[in-house]
Structures are given as C-alpha cells and as structure tokens.
Amino acid sequence: MERMMHPVNARLDEHLPTDHKLSKVYRVGAGLTGLLLVVFGVLGLINRIGFFDTGGDTVLALNTNGALSVLSICIGALLIVGMVVGGTFASTLNIVLGVLFIASGFVNLALLDTGLNFLAFRIQNVLFSFVAGVMLMWFGMYGRVGSALPHDNPYWRARHPEQAAREDRARAAQAARSMGVRPAMPGAGHP
C-alpha cells in the first residue's frame, strides 16, 4: 500500500505549508474534473434516462445513460476526495484516472456501433475521455516529472538523494559562514 501511495518514495515535505504550489495544482485538477463529472452524472440521472438505454439521450453535448451517469458521479466523487486529501495522493489519483480515461476512450472507440456499447458512448464521449485523461495526467504530473524540476522539488530530491544531501550540506555551510561560525571539517577530531 505504501508503494502505491508514494511510487517514487517522494512526499511533499512536512514543513511546507498545506497550500504549497504543487498540492494546489493537484487539488485544482482533481476538483474541477470531479465537479464536472458529478454535474454531468446528476444531470443524466435527473433526465431519468434508462440505466442501459443506448438511445440518443444527451447531457452537456455528451451521450449518456443511467449507467454512465452513476459511473460519472462515482469517479467525480473519488476525484473530489483526492482534492480534499491533496498532496501526493491527489497527484497519483489524477495520473491513474487520467490513464484510465484514455484507456476507456480507446475501448469505447472500439465498441462504438456494437451491442457491447452499454455505456451509450458516441464519438463525442470518446473525445471527452481523451481530453479529460490528458488533462488529469497533466495535472497529476505537474512538478513531478520533467527534465527541469527545481532542486527543492520533493520528487527531484527523492530521485537524487546524494546530490540533494550535498546541496543541503553546502547550504548549511553557507548559512554557518554567513553567521560567522566556522563549520567543522569532516573527519577532524579534537585532540
């Protein structure tokens, strides 16, 4: 379970404020997407569309039925939970659900115009799945992957622990010099 919650053994530093920039991005991504899915699902249920109806019922320009509405509410609620929790959990949740949205787009693209299309997907639903998946993945990966992460980033520090430790020692030595304290030399003992 620990490996799933922290796949690179990186955590937002405990001393960072809860409104740290990375956590804000993860929360906003999860919250906005979750809210959109919940609204879509509730509007679909209000229209009293059949649970597995594959007719042309649309909500917010997307085809829907009762099953898709309930599924949308459940996934939206999960994203809202991710928004509330924030941090690495929200980031990982955004990435995982983003991948699942993209996979769902491909699967439902293959199922269009077949009897197995029980979620009543049309091409606009497939496109929405792709867009929502990419958007969720972007929100989840922000500040977590990339070639130019700053060295104070908790994910960069987790991937480069030796260099992070060297930089911490150099900062501590610089701070000691600025305060007029001579740093102790490693390996030097007192006679």
Side-chain angles (χ1 to χ4, degrees):
M1 185 65 167
E2 181 66 22
R3 184 75 177 145
M4 285 177 46
M5 296 299 289
H6 305 287
V8 294
N9 295 323
R11 297 177 191 213
L12 293 175
D13 290 341
E14 299 300 326
H15 70 277
L16 294 175
T18 56
D19 62 346
H20 188 266
K21 177 176 75 169
L22 292 177
S23 190
K24 282 182 185 177
V25 172
Y26 307 148
R27 287 173 186 255
V28 166
L32 289 177
T33 309
L35 181 64
L36 177 67
L37 289 172
V38 167
V39 167
F40 172 75
V42 168
L43 290 175
L45 289 178
I46 289 174
N47 286 340
R48 298 178 192 232
I49 302 167
F51 201 73
F52 290 111
D53 183 20
T54 57
D57 298 308
T58 60
V59 171
L60 300 176
L62 297 173
N63 211 46
T64 190
N65 63 14
L68 183 58
S69 295
V70 170
L71 183 62
S72 296
I73 291 171
C74 292
I75 293 173
L78 182 60
L79 282 166
I80 291 171
V81 167
M83 177 192 70
V84 170
V85 173
T88 304
F89 176 78
S91 171
T92 303
L93 181 67
N94 285 345
I95 293 169
V96 168
L97 288 179
V99 169
L100 291 176
F101 263 88
I102 291 172
S104 168
F106 282 116
V107 168
N108 284 296
L109 181 62
L111 296 178
L112 290 179
D113 299 326
T114 69
L116 298 174
N117 186 9
F118 63 90
L119 291 177
F121 263 57
R122 298 285 181 255
I123 194 67
Q124 63 268 27
N125 297 76
V126 170
L127 294 175
F128 175 80
S129 286
F130 290 146
V131 169
V134 169
M135 187 175 73
L136 278 170
M137 287 177 58
W138 182 84
F139 277 118
M141 291 181 184
Y142 179 82
R144 199 166 172 172
V145 296
S147 62
L149 293 177
H151 290 201
D152 65 343
N153 180 294
Y155 299 105
W156 183 90
R157 294 177 66 76
R159 291 184 192 114
H160 305 92
E162 295 86 16
Q163 187 173 351
R166 281 193 304 269
E167 290 178 5
D168 288 344
R169 286 191 301 272
R171 269 193 297 275
Q174 178 65 31
R177 279 192 298 274
S178 68
M179 293 176 25
V181 175
R182 185 173 177 202
M185 300 299 286
H190 295 293

